[in-house]
Amino acid sequence: MIFPLEEMVKYKGSIYAVTAAASRRAYQIAMLKDSELEENDGKVVSLAARQLFTNQIQFRIEQQPR
């Protein structure tokens, strides 16, 4: 998994949460066969991480019902 290190250092949130979000986004990109994937040499996880850190997409943690 390749994450943009500069953005990770600056990131103030939970690294676990952003890693989980990147994994989920990578799965979505792979299933949708996003056109950006070809531009990124097929590197799904790094594309997902870049989208998260540049705020192209946003994520939130949902609370589980009790």
Side-chain angles (χ1 to χ4, degrees):
M1 201 181 286
I2 300 174
F3 271 51
L5 292 178
E6 291 178 17
E7 284 83 4
M8 279 186 74
V9 170
K10 295 175 190 174
Y11 188 70
K12 301 297 180 193
S14 167
I15 293 298
Y16 172 79
V18 79
T19 301
S23 296
R24 179 67 181 158
R25 179 61 180 153
Y27 175 77
Q28 291 172 341
I29 292 168
M31 292 294 111
L32 295 173
K33 296 180 177 44
D34 194 331
S35 62
E36 280 187 79
L37 190 56
E38 292 178 14
E39 298 170 9
N40 200 44
D41 296 325
K43 297 179 182 175
V44 180
V45 176
S46 62
L47 174 59
R50 186 173 349 111
Q51 288 178 344
L52 283 165
F53 285 118
T54 60
N55 292 321
Q56 288 179 331
I57 62 166
Q58 296 180 354
F59 72 98
R60 67 176 183 269
I61 306 297
E62 293 184 359
Q63 299 296 323
Q64 295 292 326
R66 293 180 183 222

